[in-house]
Structure formats: structure tokens, C-alpha cells
Amino acid sequence: MTRVGRNDPCPCGSGLKYKRCCLGKSTEPPGAYSSGERQAALDGLFRFAASGRFEQELEDADLVFWGDLADELSAEELREAMALEQSQLGFQEWYVFDFSLDAGTILDRYLAREGGRLRDGEVRFLERMRRSHIRPYEIVALRPEEGLDLIDLWARRRLRVRERLGTRQLAQWDVLAARIILGPRGEPVVEGSPYLYPPEAQADLLRLLKRGHRAFRKDFPRGAELAFFKDTVPVYHGLWLDLVALRPLPRLVTAEGDDIVLARVVFDVKDQPAVEAALADHPDLGRQDDGSYVWLEAGDAAHRARRRRGSKTVEVGSGEVGPRKEGRRSLGTVVPGERRLVFETTSRPRAERGRAMIEALAGGAVAYRAITYEDVEQAMKRLPDEAPRDSDISSDIAAELTAQFYEDHYRKWVDEPLPALGGRTPRAAARLGSARPKLIALLKSMENMSARQRRESQPTYNFGWMWGELGLERPG
């Protein structure tokens, strides 16, 4: 890391200039405080906070931290959130280090009352914590077993942090709301329990912080940046609950907007030749090599379906049940047999439409027997029991096939219209200043996902070539 100048922002993250913050204190020798002194200081501080002398202050802090969330969350969600370890730790740390009482913080009162009895190392650690606050960072690089390279998203400056354990759990482009102080050796370290967000949360986080900062400046025109960030911890916590801890699973829907369920409609076959002739004659049924038929939507319906999008849904399109043909979406598969005809599809409305279509098409040659529905979660639970135990494909061949699939998919992806880019292709979005930030955020999210898959020994893909292909400079 380059040498810090007197007028540079202090590397402890306080928001003050180095000369007004840690310049004089950074001359302390290595081992300014030991791990034992740090732990003793924290133990004493938290005992002091829980001693019973701050009951009203604790009640006020609890209301500030949870007040808005009590209006936004259901009773069940609120109970779940309050039971989360991260929520409990986040509240406790904010309460003692940041929450403003009539005369300073809990930490200020502790130092005023007990500071003379503490060891020098304990005081040095607590003084650094007193100047600290939580700020937003993006991880631009990891140095395994050593530390992180961060971008302070508020000040737009780079910071190198010593953090060994975090390098085993974090990934490039993760977003952190973290408290950073100067460690025992005068290097920035992550202190406390940071909030971890996915890369796509960056825009929401900065938007909330900027909105809060405008309101803060309106009420306190000369207020220090340190005071603003100390007041902002509930914002970090609320966004973490919304985007991480209590984030609902995506709703899987068909192109028509109906919930995905696995539907199976069964008919008794009374006249097999008549059934086969009727199926073969239908213009929207395409015969496949195994003798089944894929039911394709009409051309005008395909156009309408492609234009539908939901704000919090995942549309399952091509390949839902069968392949597309001439750009037309598959609605289901008809499997005729000597005694039974089965129609399989992915929603209740499609199942009813398919039943009506088959009854009108085959007439008296079939008789409706039964219909069953199974949600995707149930189907996934029974897959391991039904999957074949032995595979004819070696792991090397499987890895090669997966890699080829990824390569084919992503080489085409750069020229596919994407809802996330307003219907533009990545190549087109790269040429527009208004769309480029969304594209960069999307690429970061994909790289972040790949990094996490690599850590779990799952098949991954290297997206590095995309930046150059799209004419973008890769950050970091």
C-alpha cells in the first residue's frame, strides 16, 4: 500500500484527514494492543453496557434499530430477524459504539468511568473503536490467507485490509458494510461483524445512503460525516434483511405468468389409430423421434409471451417441457400409448388447456381419467432417489460437456436481448452510457457467482474474455 499523506483520508475509515485522526497514534510500536487486551476491553465494555444502568437508553436504541422494520415486516419475519445472530451482533455493536446518548456513546461513558483502570493497550483499542464507523466497501481483490483490497464506495478510494479468515468466505465483487480500524501493527483491519451483500446490492445500498445523507445535511448542515455514518447502521441492517437474510425465493412462472407446477393429465385410449391420426394432423403438435408430440404455442401467442415480464419472478421459457420450433414456445408434451395417453406440462392453466385440446382433437377415441399436480420442490426432493446410481459418463467427460455448454451459451449471450438491460443485448448496452453501469454490475455478479462455485468445487466459467469483447475495462 502507498504511504499515507498527512492530508489523505485516514486509513482507519473515520472520514477524517490522517493528520487529524491517527497520524500521531500510528507511531505506536507493533503490538499497540494485544489480542488479549482487545478481548478484555470488549468484555469490560459489554459488561458495562449490560449492567442495568442504561435500561432507558437500551429501550430507545431498540426502538430506533427495529422501529421501521416492525412496520415493514410481518410478525413472523420480525421474530425471525430478531433471532438472527448477525442481527443481534449488529445491534449490540451499534448500541455500544455508535448510538448517541445525551452525553456521547456507551463507549464514551465507559472510558470516562473506567479508562484509568484499563491497561494502555485496552485504551488504545477502544480509542480506535470510538473513532470508527461502518462504511460501504466493494471487494476488488482477495489475497488468500492475507487480506482484501477494497474500494470505499462512498469516498471512491482503494484500501488494503489485513483479514485472513475472511478470504476463505468472501469472493471478488462482494459488497461489505464494515467497520475498519487500525490494527495492532498499524494496518487497517476489519473489526466486528460486517454485513455481507451480493454484488447487485451495491446500487440499492448507495441510493439509500445518499438519500439518508441528504436528509442528514438538511437537519444538520454542519454535521460531521462521522456522525452520519454512526446513525446509518439500521439502514445497513434493514437492507441486509431485505436482500440476504429474509430474501424470498424467486417465484418461478411460465411465460403467461402462472406458477410453475408439474402437471400430468392421463387419458384412457379407446382407439389408438384414431388418436395417432388426430395427433399427426394437428398443426401445433410436432412429432419427436421417440414418438411423443410437443405442443407448440401459436405464433402470435409466442410474440405476446416474450413481451411479458414480472418484477420479482423468474420466467421459465425455452426448454420448459420440450424444445422450441421456429421460435415457438413449448406448452407441453403428449405421450401416446396403446392403453394410455399422457399430457405433461408446467402449470395448471396449461394442463386444463391441454385437456380441452386433446378431448376436442381425439373426441371419443380417448376418455379423461385423472390429473395430478406436483410442485417443483417436491419433485426435487425425490430426484436423488430416482436418479440412476451409476453413470456411463466419466467425470472428465461430464466436465468437458459442461464446459462446452457454458462456452456455447455465453458466446451467444453477448448478443441476446436481456430483460435486466431493458431488452438490449450486452453488446448494445456496452455502447450506451446509461446502460453500461447495469451491464458492468451484471458481469460482476456473474463473476462473483463463478468464484463461489469454484470454492465449492462446482463447474465454473471464466468470464474474463467478455470485458474485452464488449469493449469494457475490467475494474480492479
Side-chain angles (χ1 to χ4, degrees), residues 401-411 453 459-461:
L401 290 173
T402 301
Q404 188 60 53
F405 170 81
Y406 280 149
E407 183 69 14
D408 293 343
H409 173 76
Y410 286 113
R411 289 290 173 178
Q453 289 173 331
T460 61
Y461 185 73

Side-chain angles (χ1 to χ4, degrees), residues 154-424:
W154 189 259
R156 305 309 306 182
R157 64 185 179 90
R158 194 172 181 122
L159 184 66
R160 176 163 283 198
V161 175
R162 179 172 290 278
E163 172 58 38
R164 184 174 63 85
L165 294 178
T167 62
R168 304 174 189 175
Q169 303 165 350
L170 302 172
Q172 188 182 38
W173 310 129
D174 279 340
V175 173
L176 292 176
R179 189 185 304 271
I180 294 177
I181 69 170
L182 286 182
R185 294 188 285 181
E187 298 174 295
V189 297
V190 176
E191 180 59 54
S193 304
Y195 294 97
L196 173 63
Y197 309 93
E200 57 269 24
Q202 183 179 144
D204 287 336
L205 178 57
L206 289 178
R207 182 168 58 251
L208 288 173
L209 290 178
K210 289 175 182 178
R211 182 191 304 163
H213 191 252
R214 287 193 296 269
F216 177 82
R217 283 298 183 200
K218 186 176 180 180
D219 294 336
F220 307 100
R222 297 186 179 181
E225 187 176 271
L226 179 64
F228 164 68
F229 277 111
K230 281 183 171 291
D231 286 344
T232 305
V233 176
V235 174
Y236 295 124
H237 174 245
L239 187 65
W240 176 78
L241 288 176
D242 188 40
L243 297 183
V244 181
L246 301 182
R247 182 178 185 177
L249 293 174
R251 178 183 165 222
L252 299 178
V253 300
T254 64
E256 298 89 352
D258 301 312
D259 290 329
I260 294 285
V261 296
L262 305 182
R264 194 169 188 265
V265 188
V266 181
F267 299 85
D268 291 327
V269 174
K270 297 183 176 181
D271 187 341
Q272 184 186 13
V275 171
E276 288 285 1
L279 295 176
D281 195 47
H282 195 288
D284 294 331
L285 291 175
R287 196 174 194 281
Q288 304 184 97
D289 293 340
D290 61 359
S292 65
Y293 291 82
V294 58
W295 183 27
L296 302 169
E297 66 184 347
D300 57 343
H303 176 70
R304 289 195 302 271
R306 279 192 292 271
R307 296 185 62 177
R308 291 193 184 96
R309 293 291 183 267
S311 60
K312 290 188 178 180
T313 62
V314 176
E315 177 186 316
V316 180
S318 62
E320 289 175 348
V321 176
R324 289 191 185 195
K325 184 177 182 181
E326 300 172 355
R328 298 161 68 189
R329 195 184 306 271
S330 165
L331 299 178
T333 303
V334 180
V335 184
E338 292 184 6
R339 301 177 58 186
R340 297 280 190 270
L341 180 145
V342 178
F343 172 63
E344 296 176 335
T345 188
T346 53
S347 74
R348 292 175 182 267
R350 287 185 181 182
E352 294 297 334
R353 286 176 57 195
R355 174 185 172 182
M357 181 270 292
I358 291 171
E359 289 179 331
L361 179 65
V366 297
Y368 169 73
R369 183 179 183 86
I371 184 169
T372 60
Y373 298 104
E374 183 178 29
D375 65 36
V376 176
E377 184 177 356
Q378 289 175 324
M380 293 300 291
K381 286 180 179 178
R382 62 176 173 77
L383 275 179
D385 295 331
E386 297 183 358
R389 297 184 181 275
D390 298 315
S391 174
D392 294 333
I393 302 178
S394 69
S395 58
D396 290 342
I397 294 176
E400 185 178 341
L401 290 173
T402 301
Q404 188 60 53
F405 170 81
Y406 280 149
E407 183 69 14
D408 293 343
H409 173 76
Y410 286 113
R411 289 290 173 178
K412 296 174 184 176
W413 181 86
V414 296
D415 294 303
E416 290 281 346
L418 301 178
L421 299 176
R424 300 181 182 88

